[in-house]
PDB file of all heavy atoms in Angstrom:
ATOM      1  N   HIS A  15      52.553  39.874 -60.378  1.00 89.00           N
ATOM      2  CA  HIS A  15      53.531  39.368 -59.409  1.00 89.00           C
ATOM      3  C   HIS A  15      52.918  38.207 -58.647  1.00 89.00           C
ATOM      4  O   HIS A  15      51.830  38.330 -58.078  1.00 89.00           O
ATOM      5  CB  HIS A  15      53.944  40.478 -58.434  1.00 89.00           C
ATOM      6  CG  HIS A  15      54.943  40.014 -57.405  1.00 89.00           C
ATOM      7  ND1 HIS A  15      56.307  40.158 -57.587  1.00 89.00           N
ATOM      8  CD2 HIS A  15      54.782  39.408 -56.198  1.00 89.00           C
ATOM      9  CE1 HIS A  15      56.934  39.660 -56.535  1.00 89.00           C
ATOM     10  NE2 HIS A  15      56.030  39.203 -55.676  1.00 89.00           N
ATOM     11  N   LYS A  16      53.622  37.084 -58.618  1.00 88.00           N
ATOM     12  CA  LYS A  16      53.165  35.915 -57.876  1.00 88.00           C
ATOM     13  C   LYS A  16      53.771  35.956 -56.480  1.00 88.00           C
ATOM     14  O   LYS A  16      54.995  35.992 -56.317  1.00 88.00           O
ATOM     15  CB  LYS A  16      53.565  34.627 -58.599  1.00 88.00           C
ATOM     16  CG  LYS A  16      52.932  33.374 -58.006  1.00 88.00           C
ATOM     17  CD  LYS A  16      53.211  32.166 -58.888  1.00 88.00           C
ATOM     18  CE  LYS A  16      52.474  30.935 -58.378  1.00 88.00           C
ATOM     19  NZ  LYS A  16      52.692  29.764 -59.248  1.00 88.00           N
ATOM     20  N   VAL A  17      52.922  35.957 -55.475  1.00 89.00           N
ATOM     21  CA  VAL A  17      53.381  36.098 -54.091  1.00 89.00           C
ATOM     22  C   VAL A  17      54.126  34.836 -53.657  1.00 89.00           C
ATOM     23  O   VAL A  17      53.623  33.713 -53.810  1.00 89.00           O
ATOM     24  CB  VAL A  17      52.191  36.354 -53.145  1.00 89.00           C
ATOM     25  CG1 VAL A  17      52.667  36.470 -51.702  1.00 89.00           C
ATOM     26  CG2 VAL A  17      51.448  37.620 -53.565  1.00 89.00           C
ATOM     27  N   GLU A  18      55.325  35.037 -53.130  1.00 88.00           N
ATOM     28  CA  GLU A  18      56.122  33.938 -52.610  1.00 88.00           C
ATOM     29  C   GLU A  18      56.082  33.943 -51.091  1.00 88.00           C
ATOM     30  O   GLU A  18      55.718  34.942 -50.458  1.00 88.00           O
ATOM     31  CB  GLU A  18      57.568  34.047 -53.118  1.00 88.00           C
ATOM     32  CG  GLU A  18      57.689  33.971 -54.630  1.00 88.00           C
ATOM     33  CD  GLU A  18      59.128  34.091 -55.102  1.00 88.00           C
ATOM     34  OE1 GLU A  18      60.015  34.265 -54.236  1.00 88.00           O
ATOM     35  OE2 GLU A  18      59.356  34.025 -56.321  1.00 88.00           O
ATOM     36  N   ARG A  19      56.471  32.826 -50.510  1.00 86.00           N
ATOM     37  CA  ARG A  19      56.431  32.697 -49.056  1.00 86.00           C
ATOM     38  C   ARG A  19      57.313  33.764 -48.401  1.00 86.00           C
ATOM     39  O   ARG A  19      58.441  34.006 -48.822  1.00 86.00           O
ATOM     40  CB  ARG A  19      56.905  31.313 -48.632  1.00 86.00           C
ATOM     41  CG  ARG A  19      56.879  31.066 -47.117  1.00 86.00           C
ATOM     42  CD  ARG A  19      57.145  29.621 -46.792  1.00 86.00           C
ATOM     43  NE  ARG A  19      56.134  28.745 -47.395  1.00 86.00           N
ATOM     44  CZ  ARG A  19      56.155  27.414 -47.305  1.00 86.00           C
ATOM     45  NH1 ARG A  19      57.141  26.819 -46.653  1.00 86.00           N
ATOM     46  NH2 ARG A  19      55.209  26.688 -47.883  1.00 86.00           N
ATOM     47  N   GLY A  20      56.756  34.446 -47.394  1.00 85.00           N
ATOM     48  CA  GLY A  20      57.497  35.472 -46.674  1.00 85.00           C
ATOM     49  C   GLY A  20      57.291  36.873 -47.201  1.00 85.00           C
ATOM     50  O   GLY A  20      57.667  37.840 -46.543  1.00 85.00           O
ATOM     51  N   GLU A  21      56.697  37.013 -48.383  1.00 88.00           N
ATOM     52  CA  GLU A  21      56.470  38.345 -48.939  1.00 88.00           C
ATOM     53  C   GLU A  21      55.224  38.973 -48.310  1.00 88.00           C
ATOM     54  O   GLU A  21      54.275  38.281 -47.957  1.00 88.00           O
ATOM     55  CB  GLU A  21      56.306  38.283 -50.457  1.00 88.00           C
ATOM     56  CG  GLU A  21      57.598  38.021 -51.205  1.00 88.00           C
ATOM     57  CD  GLU A  21      57.431  38.140 -52.703  1.00 88.00           C
ATOM     58  OE1 GLU A  21      56.400  37.635 -53.222  1.00 88.00           O
ATOM     59  OE2 GLU A  21      58.307  38.712 -53.364  1.00 88.00           O
ATOM     60  N   THR A  22      55.255  40.284 -48.186  1.00 90.00           N
ATOM     61  CA  THR A  22      54.105  41.039 -47.690  1.00 90.00           C
ATOM     62  C   THR A  22      53.753  42.121 -48.699  1.00 90.00           C
ATOM     63  O   THR A  22      54.515  42.398 -49.634  1.00 90.00           O
ATOM     64  CB  THR A  22      54.417  41.701 -46.335  1.00 90.00           C
ATOM     65  OG1 THR A  22      55.413  42.725 -46.525  1.00 90.00           O
ATOM     66  CG2 THR A  22      54.935  40.676 -45.323  1.00 90.00           C
ATOM     67  N   ALA A  23      52.594  42.747 -48.477  1.00 89.00           N
ATOM     68  CA  ALA A  23      52.192  43.837 -49.366  1.00 89.00           C
ATOM     69  C   ALA A  23      53.209  44.970 -49.320  1.00 89.00           C
ATOM     70  O   ALA A  23      53.441  45.647 -50.321  1.00 89.00           O
ATOM     71  CB  ALA A  23      50.807  44.345 -48.969  1.00 89.00           C
ATOM     72  N   PHE A  24      53.847  45.166 -48.164  1.00 90.00           N
ATOM     73  CA  PHE A  24      54.799  46.262 -48.026  1.00 90.00           C
ATOM     74  C   PHE A  24      56.104  45.958 -48.759  1.00 90.00           C
ATOM     75  O   PHE A  24      56.683  46.835 -49.398  1.00 90.00           O
ATOM     76  CB  PHE A  24      55.065  46.536 -46.539  1.00 90.00           C
ATOM     77  CG  PHE A  24      53.857  47.036 -45.802  1.00 90.00           C
ATOM     78  CD1 PHE A  24      53.004  46.150 -45.142  1.00 90.00           C
ATOM     79  CD2 PHE A  24      53.542  48.380 -45.793  1.00 90.00           C
ATOM     80  CE1 PHE A  24      51.873  46.603 -44.477  1.00 90.00           C
ATOM     81  CE2 PHE A  24      52.418  48.849 -45.134  1.00 90.00           C
ATOM     82  CZ  PHE A  24      51.576  47.956 -44.472  1.00 90.00           C
ATOM     83  N   THR A  25      56.586  44.718 -48.692  1.00 89.00           N
ATOM     84  CA  THR A  25      57.821  44.386 -49.405  1.00 89.00           C
ATOM     85  C   THR A  25      57.605  44.401 -50.915  1.00 89.00           C
ATOM     86  O   THR A  25      58.479  44.811 -51.665  1.00 89.00           O
ATOM     87  CB  THR A  25      58.350  43.005 -48.966  1.00 89.00           C
ATOM     88  OG1 THR A  25      57.374  41.988 -49.258  1.00 89.00           O
ATOM     89  CG2 THR A  25      58.651  42.994 -47.475  1.00 89.00           C
ATOM     90  N   ILE A  26      56.424  43.961 -51.354  1.00 90.00           N
ATOM     91  CA  ILE A  26      56.136  43.967 -52.792  1.00 90.00           C
ATOM     92  C   ILE A  26      55.972  45.398 -53.287  1.00 90.00           C
ATOM     93  O   ILE A  26      56.451  45.767 -54.362  1.00 90.00           O
ATOM     94  CB  ILE A  26      54.883  43.123 -53.084  1.00 90.00           C
ATOM     95  CG1 ILE A  26      55.148  41.652 -52.748  1.00 90.00           C
ATOM     96  CG2 ILE A  26      54.462  43.261 -54.544  1.00 90.00           C
ATOM     97  CD1 ILE A  26      53.928  40.764 -52.820  1.00 90.00           C
ATOM     98  N   ALA A  27      55.288  46.232 -52.494  1.00 87.00           N
ATOM     99  CA  ALA A  27      55.127  47.641 -52.875  1.00 87.00           C
ATOM    100  C   ALA A  27      56.479  48.326 -52.967  1.00 87.00           C
ATOM    101  O   ALA A  27      56.737  49.119 -53.877  1.00 87.00           O
ATOM    102  CB  ALA A  27      54.240  48.359 -51.856  1.00 87.00           C
ATOM    103  N   ARG A  28      57.386  48.023 -52.039  1.00 86.00           N
ATOM    104  CA  ARG A  28      58.722  48.623 -52.078  1.00 86.00           C
ATOM    105  C   ARG A  28      59.495  48.139 -53.298  1.00 86.00           C
ATOM    106  O   ARG A  28      60.242  48.901 -53.921  1.00 86.00           O
ATOM    107  CB  ARG A  28      59.488  48.286 -50.792  1.00 86.00           C
ATOM    108  CG  ARG A  28      60.882  48.902 -50.721  1.00 86.00           C
ATOM    109  CD  ARG A  28      61.563  48.566 -49.409  1.00 86.00           C
ATOM    110  NE  ARG A  28      60.930  49.215 -48.281  1.00 86.00           N
ATOM    111  CZ  ARG A  28      61.252  50.428 -47.861  1.00 86.00           C
ATOM    112  NH1 ARG A  28      62.194  51.110 -48.476  1.00 86.00           N
ATOM    113  NH2 ARG A  28      60.637  50.961 -46.839  1.00 86.00           N
ATOM    114  N   LEU A  29      59.333  46.859 -53.667  1.00 85.00           N
ATOM    115  CA  LEU A  29      60.042  46.310 -54.827  1.00 85.00           C
ATOM    116  C   LEU A  29      59.693  47.068 -56.094  1.00 85.00           C
ATOM    117  O   LEU A  29      60.558  47.371 -56.919  1.00 85.00           O
ATOM    118  CB  LEU A  29      59.694  44.824 -54.988  1.00 85.00           C
ATOM    119  CG  LEU A  29      60.209  44.139 -56.264  1.00 85.00           C
ATOM    120  CD1 LEU A  29      61.735  44.112 -56.272  1.00 85.00           C
ATOM    121  CD2 LEU A  29      59.662  42.720 -56.356  1.00 85.00           C
ATOM    122  N   TYR A  30      58.409  47.423 -56.260  1.00 84.00           N
ATOM    123  CA  TYR A  30      57.968  48.089 -57.484  1.00 84.00           C
ATOM    124  C   TYR A  30      57.780  49.594 -57.303  1.00 84.00           C
ATOM    125  O   TYR A  30      57.316  50.272 -58.211  1.00 84.00           O
ATOM    126  CB  TYR A  30      56.657  47.460 -57.973  1.00 84.00           C
ATOM    127  CG  TYR A  30      56.815  46.023 -58.398  1.00 84.00           C
ATOM    128  CD1 TYR A  30      56.465  44.977 -57.540  1.00 84.00           C
ATOM    129  CD2 TYR A  30      57.353  45.697 -59.638  1.00 84.00           C
ATOM    130  CE1 TYR A  30      56.619  43.652 -57.919  1.00 84.00           C
ATOM    131  CE2 TYR A  30      57.506  44.372 -60.029  1.00 84.00           C
ATOM    132  CZ  TYR A  30      57.135  43.358 -59.164  1.00 84.00           C
ATOM    133  OH  TYR A  30      57.295  42.052 -59.553  1.00 84.00           O
ATOM    134  N   ASP A  31      58.134  50.110 -56.126  1.00 83.00           N
ATOM    135  CA  ASP A  31      58.060  51.546 -55.850  1.00 83.00           C
ATOM    136  C   ASP A  31      56.656  52.102 -56.055  1.00 83.00           C
ATOM    137  O   ASP A  31      56.457  53.125 -56.702  1.00 83.00           O
ATOM    138  CB  ASP A  31      59.072  52.318 -56.704  1.00 83.00           C
ATOM    139  CG  ASP A  31      59.413  53.676 -56.087  1.00 83.00           C
ATOM    140  OD1 ASP A  31      59.129  53.865 -54.898  1.00 83.00           O
ATOM    141  OD2 ASP A  31      59.952  54.531 -56.798  1.00 83.00           O
ATOM    142  N   VAL A  32      55.675  51.388 -55.518  1.00 86.00           N
ATOM    143  CA  VAL A  32      54.302  51.877 -55.475  1.00 86.00           C
ATOM    144  C   VAL A  32      53.876  51.905 -54.015  1.00 86.00           C
ATOM    145  O   VAL A  32      54.520  51.289 -53.157  1.00 86.00           O
ATOM    146  CB  VAL A  32      53.338  50.989 -56.292  1.00 86.00           C
ATOM    147  CG1 VAL A  32      53.724  50.990 -57.761  1.00 86.00           C
ATOM    148  CG2 VAL A  32      53.310  49.557 -55.756  1.00 86.00           C
ATOM    149  N   SER A  33      52.817  52.595 -53.691  1.00 88.00           N
ATOM    150  CA  SER A  33      52.368  52.661 -52.306  1.00 88.00           C
ATOM    151  C   SER A  33      51.594  51.395 -51.951  1.00 88.00           C
ATOM    152  O   SER A  33      50.886  50.831 -52.796  1.00 88.00           O
ATOM    153  CB  SER A  33      51.488  53.886 -52.086  1.00 88.00           C
ATOM    154  OG  SER A  33      50.250  53.736 -52.751  1.00 88.00           O
ATOM    155  N   PRO A  34      51.706  50.916 -50.708  1.00 89.00           N
ATOM    156  CA  PRO A  34      50.913  49.748 -50.291  1.00 89.00           C
ATOM    157  C   PRO A  34      49.420  49.979 -50.462  1.00 89.00           C
ATOM    158  O   PRO A  34      48.679  49.051 -50.779  1.00 89.00           O
ATOM    159  CB  PRO A  34      51.298  49.575 -48.815  1.00 89.00           C
ATOM    160  CG  PRO A  34      52.647  50.196 -48.687  1.00 89.00           C
ATOM    161  CD  PRO A  34      52.639  51.353 -49.643  1.00 89.00           C
ATOM    162  N   ARG A  35      48.969  51.229 -50.264  1.00 90.00           N
ATOM    163  CA  ARG A  35      47.539  51.513 -50.397  1.00 90.00           C
ATOM    164  C   ARG A  35      47.070  51.293 -51.841  1.00 90.00           C
ATOM    165  O   ARG A  35      46.009  50.708 -52.079  1.00 90.00           O
ATOM    166  CB  ARG A  35      47.238  52.939 -49.951  1.00 90.00           C
ATOM    167  CG  ARG A  35      45.761  53.306 -50.046  1.00 90.00           C
ATOM    168  CD  ARG A  35      45.510  54.702 -49.512  1.00 90.00           C
ATOM    169  NE  ARG A  35      45.852  54.795 -48.101  1.00 90.00           N
ATOM    170  CZ  ARG A  35      45.045  54.405 -47.120  1.00 90.00           C
ATOM    171  NH1 ARG A  35      43.851  53.914 -47.410  1.00 90.00           N
ATOM    172  NH2 ARG A  35      45.419  54.533 -45.869  1.00 90.00           N
ATOM    173  N   SER A  36      47.851  51.782 -52.828  1.00 90.00           N
ATOM    174  CA  SER A  36      47.446  51.584 -54.221  1.00 90.00           C
ATOM    175  C   SER A  36      47.486  50.107 -54.595  1.00 90.00           C
ATOM    176  O   SER A  36      46.644  49.628 -55.350  1.00 90.00           O
ATOM    177  CB  SER A  36      48.341  52.399 -55.159  1.00 90.00           C
ATOM    178  OG  SER A  36      49.688  51.950 -55.108  1.00 90.00           O
ATOM    179  N   LEU A  37      48.472  49.373 -54.044  1.00 91.00           N
ATOM    180  CA  LEU A  37      48.531  47.927 -54.295  1.00 91.00           C
ATOM    181  C   LEU A  37      47.279  47.249 -53.740  1.00 91.00           C
ATOM    182  O   LEU A  37      46.694  46.373 -54.386  1.00 91.00           O
ATOM    183  CB  LEU A  37      49.781  47.341 -53.649  1.00 91.00           C
ATOM    184  CG  LEU A  37      50.064  45.859 -53.922  1.00 91.00           C
ATOM    185  CD1 LEU A  37      50.455  45.650 -55.373  1.00 91.00           C
ATOM    186  CD2 LEU A  37      51.167  45.339 -53.002  1.00 91.00           C
ATOM    187  N   ALA A  38      46.849  47.674 -52.553  1.00 91.00           N
ATOM    188  CA  ALA A  38      45.652  47.097 -51.943  1.00 91.00           C
ATOM    189  C   ALA A  38      44.400  47.458 -52.725  1.00 91.00           C
ATOM    190  O   ALA A  38      43.514  46.619 -52.928  1.00 91.00           O
ATOM    191  CB  ALA A  38      45.534  47.579 -50.496  1.00 91.00           C
TER     192      ALA A  38
END
């Protein structure tokens, strides 16, 4: 996933239904 302006780890984690901690 390429981060776009305004996106956060929490919004990206919600998009793919994974936890922010695992994404980090």
